[in-house]
Amino acid sequence: MASGTESWILMATGRTPTNIAVIKYWGKRDEALILPVNDSISVTLDPDHLSATTTVAVSPTFDRDRMWLNGEEIPLSGDRFQSCLREIRKLADDVVDEKKGIRIRKDDWQKLHVHISSYNNFPTAAGLASSAAGLACFVFTLAKLMNVKEDYGKLSSIARQGSGSACRSMYGGFVKWTMGRDAWGSDSIAVQLASESHWNDLVIIIAVVSSKQKETSSTTGMRDSVETSPLLQHRAQTVVPGRILQMEEAIRSRDFASFARLTCADSNQFHAVCLDTSPPIFYMNDTSHRIISLVERWNRSDGTPQVAYTFDAGPNAVLIAPNRKSAGLLLQRLLFCFPPPADDELTSYVIGDKSILHEAGLQSMKDVEALPPPPESKVKYPSQKTPGEVSYFICTRLGSGPRVLADESLALLSPTTGLPK
Amino acid sequence: MASGTESWILMATGRTPTNIAVIKYWGKRDEALILPVNDSISVTLDPDHLSATTTVAVSPTFDRDRMWLNGEEIPLSGDRFQSCLREIRKLADDVVDEKKGIRIRKDDWQKLHVHISSYNNFPTAAGLASSAAGLACFVFTLAKLMNVKEDYGKLSSIARQGSGSACRSMYGGFVKWTMGRDAWGSDSIAVQLASESHWNDLVIIIAVVSSKQKETSSTTGMRDSVETSPLLQHRAQTVVPGRILQMEEAIRSRDFASFARLTCADSNQFHAVCLDTSPPIFYMNDTSHRIISLVERWNRSDGTPQVAYTFDAGPNAVLIAPNRKSAGLLLQRLLFCFPPPADDELTSYVIGDKSILHEAGLQSMKDVEALPPPPESKVKYPSQKTPGEVSYFICTRLGSGPRVLADESLALLSPTTGLPK
């Protein structure tokens, strides 16, 4: 087996962004391999605000594979973790660390155990695609540690087997997950359509919506939809292919009006399919509906879309503005309709990139209280101010793909014990 | 013109039930003639609890057509009233009232003016298909006054031009509106599938749900769906035809399990199409969703449907139980989850056929407070009791079609002035 002393620990730390689909993935044609019924397109979010960080350690002293999520040990026995781990091990290559005097041969990886510690810089339970970022980071960091030479497309197909949408977190900017045709899923991979710098004016505001309901997991919901919704196959086969082409063109030409129209329509159609499922699935709640109404009324009063909205398997709204000016106007509207609770600080209610807040002239709660109703509100606005419906807002932007954190002080595992710090 | 003194008034009073679709009508292929994109099937509700009553008077002293709804004069100038009035006048026949010495010739109807007064025995604004009952009663009562000899199928096609679903209120029991093929709509009529006595065990409980939102009118919503929903045509052409056949068979064989499954699935699909519309239409709210969850959980725990639910263009739930026993169990569950406000009387919170309440052992607020959680609630029940979400419940049943009220004391217009009493 490896040379050097038998107590060495080798580590790698990676950081991987979340992503939010603008053309939605909903429905698998193969449950085990996680092969989708249609292509999907996502935007990658800035990892500074929404990402997973994972440290993977290997040592001959480890007697089994172990994993910690946000500091808590979790079982690694699930099929999804196991298939990612197995696939990465197959691609592992020789690793030589001259400085530490470590030499691991390709075949050693089958016998060596790993410790994995992962951390999300945003609430896991908030329904913000934490599993996508987490699984992508799991695969990415293992691949780095094990010196996997394959390209990111190949890695995306491994991440896909952990959590479908995780494959789209392997790139920054705009990403397409092509459903592929191969029965084994070799061509069901993510490809980058454009990097984050291609359209860097976009601003993203996420409304984290309070919810009392227990939500249906997307795995269960998707399976129920495939089995029971008479509309799902029509969506997958007839509607989505056209939207994918239109969305690629909207992104290529930075055509925000088309981008917004497609994004909103596809979010609504995904939720329509959920409703057409038996039993029906409700991810959006009355607050989600109010946010949509606010955006739709604004968009229509202006004649052209000012903002796009999209909702995943939960009530949170992801709002995309074409530039900082629109984002400021959006934030004013959101804070007018959903002000922070009286005892809350504005700075803990709007997090992430706070410069948008300042540019919108919102320095304090006084400024929020002084906000006038939006001009379009003259026409029947549900302008009752309801604090408490939104937990907080995150201001962010498009972001880059996975990267290695070379600074060892950022590792989540101790270099001496291999356990969480 | 007519014989007799020139100050006579001739009147007729009719009563027409509301109906609720179990296979939904959503989308017109002809806006002016109100021709639908698919067949629909409804149940007629007991007119004792939900109906419109209309008195029509004719007199040579009336100088114009006038109408009152629930005591308030309303304009009769709208296209829909006008086309119904015009079509009925075309079919008017000779009327002779020997006792009163009145003789009206066929052609006189073109010159004579009418006064119409209509009244709903349930809240008009509550979204309980008041326009269906109202328009059907308008056409039915005018036809009686004018001695129209045509069958109810022909009358239904006239009522259809007033308000699409009104055509289904021309019969009791189970009614199908066949979309027809004729460009002029002559074959787009209602037919009775079975009378109310065919399946008279069914019990209907309506939850009138409180709503803050202004709702999209069904006329506007339907038009937007036809123009923008990519799923609507697929539903109309591919999904509904099969469901119509299955629903006819379920009704014929009184197969409640199939009836319930189809009813719930089609309600959900109609709302899915609304959500797939741009801008999306939300008729159901969080309370509607909670009622669905309550029913779905119960149905699934029992393995076979205990209750069906259906929602029209608003948040109110129409719940259909196979018999009085199930209806009692349903009422217990509903009152457990949605108890009346503390200061409310149970007898004003549950209206209509109160015998269900008594059979379920619910005589007083004390009985409601003592209700145990439903047995299926052990598995994650959103059992927070939330008074105020439901305004009231109406217990009712299937009912009969339109009829003439011969008792002149029930007329809504004065026999001497022709004005509302």
Side-chain angles (χ1 to χ4, degrees):
Chain A
M1 136 102 58
S3 65
T5 80
E6 282 306 283
S7 65
W8 55 262
I9 296 180
L10 191 67
M11 300 203 302
T13 299
R15 193 179 69 167
T16 304
T18 58
N19 71 79
I20 176 92
V22 290
I23 299 293
K24 299 293 187 190
Y25 153 53
W26 194 251
K28 303 182 181 75
R29 62 179 203 276
D30 185 305
E31 286 276 337
L33 293 168
I34 311 194
L35 300 175
V37 293
N38 55 253
D39 293 352
S40 55
I41 292 177
S42 61
V43 295
T44 296
L45 304 185
D46 188 342
D48 283 349
H49 304 132
L50 294 131
S51 61
T53 300
T54 301
T55 298
V56 187
V58 63
S59 170
T61 62
F62 296 167
D63 59 353
R64 61 198 158 98
D65 296 332
R66 296 177 71 184
M67 180 163 180
W68 292 264
L69 177 61
N70 296 327
E72 297 276 314
E73 185 157 10
I74 60 164
L76 202 49
S77 53
D79 284 353
R80 293 174 165 211
F81 283 127
Q82 285 302 319
S83 49
C84 288
L85 206 45
R86 189 180 54 243
E87 294 297 314
I88 289 289
R89 275 195 170 112
K90 276 189 209 162
L91 305 175
D93 210 333
D94 298 345
V95 171
V96 180
D97 188 320
E98 299 286 4
K99 225 166 62 189
K100 294 188 179 167
I102 300 169
R103 185 173 292 268
I104 306 173
R105 279 192 212 91
K106 208 168 170 163
D107 298 336
D108 297 342
W109 289 110
Q110 298 297 331
K111 290 157 272 167
L112 285 165
H113 293 289
V114 290
H115 283 186
I116 301 159
S117 182
S118 193
Y119 165 81
N120 298 323
N121 65 350
F122 59 95
T124 304
L128 292 169
S130 54
S131 72
L135 262 299
C137 208
F138 180 95
V139 168
F140 172 77
T141 314
L142 278 169
K144 290 298 168 190
L145 180 76
M146 298 186 183
N147 195 22
V148 171
K149 301 264 181 22
E150 307 284 332
D151 62 20
Y152 282 20
K154 175 68 183 172
L155 295 187
S156 79
S157 82
I158 297 173
R160 189 201 74 225
Q161 296 173 59
S163 170
S165 55
C167 71
R168 295 186 313 237
S169 276
M170 293 305 295
Y171 296 99
F174 299 87
V175 183
K176 176 164 86 160
W177 174 9
T178 57
M179 61 179 288
R181 300 288 160 198
D182 175 33
W184 294 102
S186 63
D187 56 352
S188 188
I189 61 171
V191 292
Q192 189 180 51
L193 297 176
S195 80
E196 61 276 20
S197 62
H198 166 70
W199 199 354
N200 58 13
D201 296 338
L202 298 182
V203 177
I204 295 169
I205 299 179
I206 301 171
V208 178
V209 169
S210 316
S211 170
K212 284 165 285 182
Q213 291 290 112
K214 171 77 195 92
E215 279 145 29
T216 311
S217 86
S218 57
T219 303
T220 310
M222 225 177 259
R223 192 186 304 130
D224 287 351
S225 288
V226 169
E227 286 172 6
T228 66
S229 166
L231 302 179
L232 181 135
Q233 292 300 340
H234 181 72
R235 159 175 167 71
Q237 290 164 19
T238 309
V239 182
V240 175
R243 286 185 175 171
I244 289 282
L245 294 175
Q246 289 168 39
M247 183 58 93
E248 290 190 57
E249 176 55 26
I251 291 167
R252 202 196 55 72
S253 58
R254 292 186 286 266
D255 170 359
F256 186 76
S258 299
F259 176 82
R261 269 190 278 267
L262 287 162
T263 297
C264 298
D266 207 65
S267 173
N268 291 328
Q269 187 169 87
F270 148 51
H271 291 279
V273 168
C274 290
L275 190 41
D276 188 49
T277 299
S278 175
I281 306 162
F282 312 111
Y283 287 125
M284 296 198 289
N285 63 19
D286 285 351
T287 306
S288 316
H289 293 175
R290 287 189 65 210
I291 294 172
I292 290 180
S293 298
L294 179 160
V295 172
E296 289 283 358
R297 200 171 301 109
W298 183 23
N299 284 349
R300 265 145 228 276
S301 80
D302 271 51
T304 182
Q306 297 301 303
V307 166
Y309 55 81
T310 188
F311 294 74
D312 267 359
N316 300 329
V318 177
L319 302 160
I320 309 175
N323 51 51
R324 298 178 68 85
K325 180 158 173 282
S326 291
L329 295 171
L330 171 62
L331 206 49
Q332 289 175 347
R333 282 165 171 82
L334 290 169
L335 289 171
F336 175 82
C337 288
F338 306 99
D343 55 344
D344 213 351
E345 288 284 335
L346 190 54
T347 51
S348 62
Y349 192 63
V350 180
I351 63 173
D353 176 7
K354 290 185 208 292
S355 64
I356 303 278
L357 202 57
H358 299 148
E359 285 173 29
L362 298 162
Q363 311 278 354
S364 69
M365 280 295 290
K366 263 215 173 73
D367 298 328
V368 172
E369 282 155 20
L371 279 170
E376 68 273 15
S377 71
K378 281 159 207 152
V379 211
K380 294 179 294 180
Y381 207 79
S383 62
Q384 65 266 41
K385 299 181 172 202
T386 46
E389 284 190 53
V390 171
S391 300
Y392 55 93
F393 294 100
I394 306 171
C395 294
T396 185
R397 65 180 81 82
L398 261 59
S400 55
R403 68 183 184 88
V404 169
L405 301 183
D407 180 351
E408 285 200 2
S409 72
L410 298 173
L412 303 173
L413 295 169
S414 153
T416 53
T417 64
L419 294 171
K421 282 182 181 171
Chain B
M1 130 103 61
S3 66
T5 79
E6 283 304 285
S7 66
W8 54 263
I9 296 181
L10 190 67
M11 298 204 303
T13 299
R15 194 178 69 168
T16 303
T18 58
N19 71 79
I20 176 93
V22 290
I23 300 292
K24 300 293 189 190
Y25 153 53
W26 194 253
K28 302 183 182 79
R29 63 179 201 277
D30 185 306
E31 286 277 337
L33 293 168
I34 309 195
L35 301 175
V37 292
N38 56 253
D39 293 352
S40 55
I41 293 178
S42 61
V43 294
T44 296
L45 303 185
D46 187 343
D48 283 350
H49 304 132
L50 295 131
S51 59
T53 300
T54 301
T55 298
V56 187
V58 61
S59 168
T61 63
F62 296 167
D63 60 353
R64 62 200 158 100
D65 296 332
R66 295 177 71 184
M67 180 163 179
W68 293 263
L69 176 61
N70 297 327
E72 297 276 314
E73 184 156 12
I74 60 165
L76 201 49
S77 52
D79 283 352
R80 293 174 164 212
F81 284 127
Q82 285 302 319
S83 51
C84 289
L85 205 46
R86 186 180 57 241
E87 292 298 313
I88 288 290
R89 275 194 170 114
K90 275 191 210 161
L91 304 174
D93 209 335
D94 297 345
V95 171
V96 180
D97 187 323
E98 298 288 4
K99 226 167 60 190
K100 295 189 179 165
I102 301 170
R103 185 175 290 268
I104 306 173
R105 279 193 212 88
K106 212 171 165 160
D107 297 336
D108 296 342
W109 290 109
Q110 299 296 333
K111 288 158 275 167
L112 285 166
H113 293 289
V114 290
H115 283 186
I116 302 160
S117 180
S118 193
Y119 166 81
N120 298 323
N121 65 350
F122 58 96
T124 304
L128 292 168
S130 53
S131 71
L135 263 299
C137 208
F138 180 94
V139 168
F140 172 78
T141 314
L142 278 170
K144 290 299 166 189
L145 179 78
M146 297 187 184
N147 196 23
V148 171
K149 299 264 182 18
E150 306 283 332
D151 62 20
Y152 281 19
K154 176 68 184 172
L155 294 188
S156 79
S157 81
I158 297 172
R160 191 202 73 226
Q161 296 173 58
S163 169
S165 56
C167 71
R168 296 187 313 238
S169 276
M170 292 306 295
Y171 297 99
F174 299 87
V175 183
K176 177 164 85 162
W177 172 12
T178 56
M179 61 181 288
R181 300 287 160 199
D182 175 35
W184 294 102
S186 63
D187 55 353
S188 189
I189 62 170
V191 293
Q192 189 180 50
L193 297 175
S195 80
E196 60 278 19
S197 62
H198 166 71
W199 199 354
N200 59 12
D201 296 338
L202 298 182
V203 177
I204 294 168
I205 298 179
I206 301 171
V208 178
V209 169
S210 317
S211 170
K212 285 165 283 180
Q213 291 290 113
K214 173 75 193 92
E215 279 144 29
T216 311
S217 86
S218 57
T219 303
T220 311
M222 225 177 259
R223 191 186 305 131
D224 287 350
S225 288
V226 170
E227 285 172 7
T228 66
S229 167
L231 301 178
L232 181 135
Q233 292 299 341
H234 181 71
R235 161 176 164 71
Q237 289 164 19
T238 309
V239 182
V240 174
R243 285 186 175 170
I244 288 282
L245 294 175
Q246 290 169 39
M247 183 57 94
E248 290 191 57
E249 176 55 25
I251 291 167
R252 201 196 54 72
S253 57
R254 291 185 287 266
D255 171 358
F256 186 77
S258 299
F259 175 83
R261 270 189 277 265
L262 288 162
T263 297
C264 298
D266 207 66
S267 173
N268 291 329
Q269 187 168 89
F270 148 52
H271 291 279
V273 168
C274 290
L275 191 41
D276 188 49
T277 299
S278 176
I281 307 163
F282 313 110
Y283 286 125
M284 298 197 288
N285 64 19
D286 285 350
T287 306
S288 315
H289 293 174
R290 288 190 65 209
I291 294 173
I292 289 180
S293 298
L294 179 160
V295 172
E296 288 283 357
R297 201 173 297 111
W298 183 22
N299 285 350
R300 263 144 228 276
S301 80
D302 271 51
T304 181
Q306 298 299 303
V307 166
Y309 57 80
T310 188
F311 295 73
D312 268 359
N316 300 329
V318 177
L319 302 159
I320 309 176
N323 51 51
R324 297 177 68 84
K325 182 159 172 282
S326 292
L329 294 171
L330 171 62
L331 207 48
Q332 288 175 348
R333 283 166 170 81
L334 290 170
L335 289 172
F336 175 82
C337 288
F338 305 99
D343 55 344
D344 213 350
E345 288 283 334
L346 190 54
T347 50
S348 62
Y349 192 63
V350 181
I351 63 173
D353 175 6
K354 290 184 208 290
S355 64
I356 302 279
L357 202 57
H358 299 147
E359 285 172 30
L362 297 162
Q363 311 279 352
S364 70
M365 280 296 289
K366 262 215 174 71
D367 298 327
V368 172
E369 282 155 19
L371 279 171
E376 68 273 14
S377 71
K378 279 157 208 155
V379 209
K380 294 180 295 180
Y381 208 80
S383 61
Q384 64 264 41
K385 300 180 172 204
T386 45
E389 285 190 51
V390 170
S391 300
Y392 55 92
F393 294 100
I394 306 172
C395 295
T396 186
R397 64 180 82 80
L398 262 60
S400 55
R403 68 184 183 87
V404 169
L405 301 183
D407 179 351
E408 285 201 3
S409 72
L410 298 174
L412 301 173
L413 294 169
S414 154
T416 52
T417 64
L419 295 171
K421 282 181 180 172

